[in-house]
Amino acid sequence: MFKDNSVNMEMSVDTNKINENINSDKKEALETQELTKRFGGLIAVNNFDLKVNQGEISSLIGPNGAGKTTVFNVVTGIYQPDGGRVIFKGEDLAGNKPHQIVAKGIARTFQNIRLFSNMTCLENVMSGQHCRGSAGVWSSVFKSSYQKGEENRIREEAERRLHQVGLWKFRDELAKNIAYGSQRMLEIARALASNPDLLILDEPSSGLNDKESEDLMKFLKIVLKEDLTILLIEHDMNVVMGISDWVTVMDEGKKIAGGLPEDIYHNPLVIEAYLGKEEGEEL
Amino acid sequence: MKLDKNIIFKNWLILIAIVLLSVAPFMMNNYWIDVFFFFGIYALLGLSLNIVLGEVGLFDLGHVAFMAIGAYTTAILNTKFGIPIIILLPVSALAAAGFAWLVCSPIIHLRGDYLCIVTIGMGEIVRLTLINNPFGITGGPNGVFGIDFPSLGNIFMIDNSTEFYFLIWIVVGLTILALINLQRSRIGRAWNCIREDEIAAESTGIDVRYYKLLAFILGAGLAGVAGNIYASKLMIVSPESFTFMESCMLFCIVLIGGMGSIPGVLIGAAAISLFPEVFRTFAQYRMLIFGAAMVIMMVFRPGGIWPRKRGAVEFKSLLLKAGRDNV
Ligand SMILES: Nc1ncnc2c1ncn2[C@@H]1O[C@H](COP(=O)(O)OP(=O)(O)OP(=O)(O)O)[C@@H](O)[C@H]1O
Ligand SMILES: [Mg+2]
């Protein structure tokens, strides 16, 4: 058994190298270098390197508590890193507040859906356009023609996004009153409404049934064509294998593997991280 | 069709309200005109607190301090330098807004109950400062008196109850128009997003700090306007008009009517200012009745009497949210 495993490991190292080479001649949309985030004594993210290629769907996977959401929170500026860098479009994002990062082109969704519950679906999506507008207090109070034009543009863009995710019929419903699956899509629509270059989704398919997951995958492949890059955290292996161009695996804050989905699927390190050593041997 | 009917109903209601308000002073004696003047003052103050509390969900229990700044700015500049009240109207608004900017900048990141406590402290500090007569300009516990009526040279002078009544209600009307436009703009949406979920708002691209401060500054500015009109109507300002109880009253106005709802604020202001007059005999039980009414409201109609259409905002859920900040 032991022998078998080590052979496998060597092979996987080789494929990793080849993959890195394939990877290296593409342009990166997002890169984290030696990213570290601590919570007291706990190192949630530990020297973590991540590369997300432009125009691709990348997945970040790992067991519960691996630090995936924390990586997202650092990238989107909710937490400041304790070490390392986040590079987006060649620029270090350090010190930016979350809303500034949205303006730079990264939009996100949350693991536990966070909508504006008492606002309508349309208003939720319109708020995504906020950072693309500039009307101030005076022009809003006096309804200047500039403000009216901008408001129309915001509304049109939001309506387009609502159509796109198939929630047009719920536009005047309060966000808290629509079904769970629809809420997930609404949150994605809100993120897309800011016209991001990079969309990051924290477990978008969790809580969705099989059909909804299917639809979500199709949808993501379609919006990807809008000059978008997608990074997602995902537990559902069907989704990961189905749409990812690249998969990064993390465990206990560290990166343990990165590669094409099929290689990751057979990588013993990954299987071990997910199942623990003993069970891993039984596989 | 249903929606159309609603709009027609609403327009009729607004029209009737405007007609009633404009003929009212000619059918009442001066005493009642004054009661309605104070209804207007409370409406303006309620609208100003509604920006902070109703639209953004920030607990401000020291709001009357902003009115005090406006009132004292008017009183001092008018009595010491003879600057006309009309000119002092925008000046008082700016003074209160500037004060809000100074005081709120360092505390704006505080959440829910913490912010609430700090605003109570702010209100008390302002009142105590006024009592202590700094540089001998606030007149201590006696306050400042001999404030002029609003006038424009020899052209006109607002010097009787009816004219003050129209002054305040025209200001309230204009404020309502402005606030409706704000509610329907990206600024109003940003405010509501922050109230619903601060972290989501920030991650959606809204500068939470900026919009919270903006709410405080606008709210304080409006309270400053109320302070200006109040000072020139009473011709005297003194610290006892700006107690913690007054801030609580304003809080009640917004909660009773429905947070974030403009008609709600008007109903709340009516309840606070007219009710004690109608039930004079129960005057000494006033606070008891209000307290009971608040409790009953929170239990049976947590969204307020006239909540904003698209969905009631419940005070309770805001309180719960105040503690929640995990991602
Ligand atoms: N704000 C915080 N304060 C303290 N510890 C935290 C905080 N956020 C996350 N952690 C800890 O950091 C570790 C990584 O958490 P994280 O949420 O990033 O994991 P995850 O990979 O997203 O897991 P899951 O798959 O369950 O969502 C966990 O041990 C978690 O308890
Ligand atoms: Mg997570």
Side-chain angles (χ1 to χ4, degrees), chain A residues 61-82:
Chain A
I61 65 171
N64 288 111
K68 308 178 296 292
T69 299
T70 308
V71 170
F72 274 23
N73 285 341
V74 173
V75 167
T76 53
I78 290 181
Y79 298 144
Q80 288 301 318
D82 294 311

Side-chain angles (χ1 to χ4, degrees), chain B residues 282-301:
Chain B
F282 304 116
Q284 74 242 50
Y285 303 118
R286 200 172 113 163
M287 284 337 254
L288 190 74
I289 293 172
F290 275 141
M294 287 293 288
V295 172
I296 293 168
M297 286 273 314
M298 288 295 108
V299 174
F300 294 106
R301 211 171 155 79

Side-chain angles (χ1 to χ4, degrees), chain A residues 69 73 76 78-79 97-100 102 106-108 110 112 114-120 123-124 126-128 130-131 133-137 140-143 147 150-151 154 174 176 190 194, chain B residues 177-179 181-182 184-190 192-211 214 218 308 310-314 317 321 324-327:
Chain A
T69 299
N73 285 341
T76 53
I78 290 181
Y79 298 144
K97 286 190 179 177
H99 72 265
Q100 292 166 319
V102 179
I106 303 182
R108 74 170 291 177
F110 292 88
N112 329 308
R114 299 188 85 124
L115 288 168
F116 306 124
S117 325
N118 289 308
M119 296 169 74
T120 66
E123 284 175 313
N124 264 273
M126 284 171 85
S127 68
H130 180 89
C131 61
S134 63
V137 176
S140 300
V141 165
F142 295 109
K143 284 209 166 220
Q147 192 263 351
E150 184 181 277
E151 197 67 6
I154 289 175
L174 297 188
K176 66 179 175 192
R190 181 180 73 188
S194 68
Chain B
L177 289 181
L179 289 182
N181 281 350
L182 268 186
R184 292 175 187 160
S185 72
R186 72 192 264 281
I187 293 173
R189 267 197 308 278
N192 293 164
C193 291
I194 295 170
R195 180 188 67 204
E196 293 300 314
D197 188 328
E198 218 177 299
I199 289 169
E202 178 82 33
S203 300
T204 306
I206 293 164
D207 188 344
V208 170
R209 194 188 148 78
Y210 173 85
Y211 283 98
L214 181 67
L218 290 182
R308 183 155 169 201
R310 65 168 176 229
V313 185
E314 297 184 5
S317 68
K321 219 170 272 162
R324 188 185 71 149
D325 62 346
N326 56 324
V327 184

Side-chain angles (χ1 to χ4, degrees), chain B residues 31 56 101 114 198 228:
Chain B
Y31 177 80
V56 199
W101 178 69
Y114 296 100
E198 218 177 299
N228 170 278

